[in-house]
Every structure is written in C-alpha cells, then in structure tokens.
Amino acid sequence: MTQGVMSGAGCACQPVEAVTAETFARSWSGVSALAWRVPLLAWALLVVAWSGASFWGPPEMWFLYMTHWGLLFILLEMVFGVIVAAVKTPEKNPDEESGLPWYVRVYWLLYNITIPVAFLITIFYWCILKPASKNTHVNYAPNPVLDVMLHGVNSVAMLVELALSRHPSRLLDVVQPWVFASVYMFFTLIYFFAGGLDPWGNAFIYPVVDWSKPEQTAVVITLTGLFLTLMHLATIGLASLRDRLIRRCRRDSAGVYNEGFTA
C-alpha cells in the first residue's frame, strides 16, 4: 500500500504511513499486541470451554446460536492476532494481492467481523431477546455469570482490541459482517426447513427469528442488518476518535490515521 493511501475510496488528507504487517502487531505506544491479545485469547478459550460444559442441551446444539458463533470468531480472531504479533514478518515474498501476508489478512477480516458482531450480540440480547424469552419457557441464561460473559464481556473484550489496536477500520468493510450475518440467517432458514428443533423442542432457534412467521422474521432480519451497519459505523467512529486522541496527545501529524468515513 502506498504512502498516504488509506482506502480504495479515496486518499488521506493528512500525512500517513503505509499499512504494513507491523501495523497489526503493535499498539500506538509501540507495545506488542501480545500484551492484550494473549489475555483476551485466554479469556476466549475459558469462556468457550465453560459455555460448552454448561450448555443446557445436546452438545451439537451449542452451534445453533449466533452468540456461540460470535464467541468462536473472537477466539479465532485472537489466535490470528497472537500469530500476527508473534511472527516477525519477512520483508520478502509478501502476498501479491495486498502486500500483506495471508495470516495478517485473515486476522484483519476476523477483526472487521468480530467487533460489530459482538456489539450487535450484546445489544440484541439484552434489549430484544432476553425480554422476548420471558414470555416463553426458553431460558438462555441458566448461569447468570456466564450469561454476562457471553453477552457483555464479549463486547468489552472487542472494545479493548479496538482501542489498543493501530490499524484502520473502513466503511466498505461492512460487507464482511454482513456476510457473516447472512450466512447465519441462511443457516437458521435451512435448519427450519430441515425440521430442526431447539433444545426445548421449538421449531425456532430464537423466538424473534421464527420462520413459521415469515413476515415478522423478515422485519427482524432487516432491522438487525441495519443495526449491524450502525455497529460497523460506530466501530469506524471509535477508531477515528482513537486515532485523533492519540495524534493530539503525541502532537504527531504522521502515522496511520483512520479515515473510514472518507469518500
């Protein structure tokens, strides 16, 4: 990536440095990303194991829920984040498509997905799903501490990753969390028509996404897609605010600057 270019949609209005593999391996302070990604990886491993051991239904049904998909993506994102921070990237033989090694590009893809999806899961759960489940016999939170870990601390972990990371977030990358959400929604549709049931014998995974009520489900999916877009915009805004504050504190006009909103 050339000097001063931050996005395929436009050029930076301030002097910036090229985004390289090293950009993904350190914080703005120069501290290795291992300082926060190793603890977050340990947290993700613990919660995945705890959630699997505490699951209320058959083990294979653990994979039905978007919360668990999001948790697995956090785990994968941290695994690749640790690899990116730990491996000294050779200057020769970069990936010809982007100039970044493949594992850095995979990490960046997972980063772009996990942050807005984590925010979506937290807000969707506490504001919509949990109130809706009170009118049914479905109980997604037999363990209240684990409930907070899955639907609250997940966003805190991703907020830490966002705040301490150095690389940019971009508007067009919204396609990546959209694809994640679309794959999950198609999965729920296929599961419904295949006659799949939830652990309590219901013909839905979530009561607000009930394909036997297609009009209601279509509205929920549309609103969820719009809200996921909003979460991606919030991620870009937080990244831009992070960079502005750091540049102001350092009184530094150079460096990587997030310009995700630049057209």
Side-chain angles (χ1 to χ4, degrees):
M1 191 172 294
T2 58
Q3 181 82 8
V5 178
M6 294 294 296
S7 154
C11 295
C13 57
Q14 303 187 50
V16 296
E17 67 184 30
V19 177
T20 65
E22 184 68 12
T23 307
F24 298 83
R26 294 188 175 275
S27 72
W28 273 103
S29 65
V31 174
S32 170
L34 292 173
W36 71 87
R37 289 181 189 155
V38 169
L40 290 180
L41 174 59
W43 172 85
L45 284 169
L46 172 64
V47 176
V48 167
W50 185 6
S51 176
S54 304
F55 186 63
W56 51 85
E60 64 275 10
M61 287 190 175
W62 187 89
F63 295 96
L64 294 180
Y65 298 96
M66 189 173 186
T67 294
H68 299 153
W69 285 37
L71 181 61
L72 289 175
F73 265 66
I74 291 175
L75 177 60
L76 284 173
E77 194 258 2
M78 288 303 158
V79 168
F80 277 91
V82 167
I83 292 172
V84 169
V87 174
K88 182 172 178 57
T89 304
E91 296 182 1
K92 297 182 180 181
N93 300 321
D95 184 276
E96 294 181 358
E97 179 181 343
S98 66
L100 296 172
W102 69 270
Y103 53 88
V104 176
R105 293 194 296 126
V106 170
Y107 163 74
W108 201 358
L109 170 67
L110 293 169
Y111 174 94
N112 290 333
I113 293 172
T114 53
I115 294 176
V117 166
F119 295 164
L120 171 70
I121 287 172
T122 295
I123 296 174
F124 184 86
Y125 178 77
W126 294 107
C127 295
I128 298 177
L129 186 59
K130 196 169 182 66
S133 65
K134 290 180 179 179
N135 299 322
T136 69
H137 62 281
V138 175
N139 180 15
Y140 297 108
N143 186 319
V145 177
L146 181 59
D147 191 30
V148 173
M149 288 287 181
L150 291 170
H151 304 108
V153 181
N154 64 322
S155 288
V156 174
M158 288 297 95
L159 188 59
V160 169
E161 172 78 329
L162 173 62
L164 296 180
S165 293
R166 184 180 175 187
H167 48 280
S169 298
R170 298 170 180 166
L171 185 59
L172 292 180
D173 290 336
V174 70
V175 173
Q176 295 164 3
W178 275 351
V179 169
F180 171 89
S182 297
V183 169
Y184 180 77
M185 287 304 164
F186 277 115
F187 165 74
T188 66
L189 179 62
I190 293 169
Y191 190 75
F192 171 77
F193 281 108
L197 303 175
D198 76 349
W200 296 277
N202 298 304
F204 54 74
I205 298 174
Y206 293 114
V208 294
V209 184
D210 184 351
W211 288 104
S212 67
K213 304 173 183 177
E215 296 85 0
Q216 170 190 299
T217 299
V219 171
V220 170
I221 289 175
T222 301
L223 293 177
T224 301
L226 293 173
F227 194 75
L228 181 58
T229 303
L230 180 60
M231 293 299 96
H232 182 75
L233 294 176
T235 300
I236 296 173
L238 290 170
S240 298
L241 177 62
R242 171 199 69 197
D243 295 351
R244 286 183 183 275
L245 291 174
I246 291 170
R247 289 161 65 91
R248 179 172 296 181
C249 291
R250 295 174 59 181
R251 302 186 181 207
D252 183 7
S253 62
V256 176
Y257 180 75
N258 193 73
E259 58 156 18
F261 291 115
T262 301

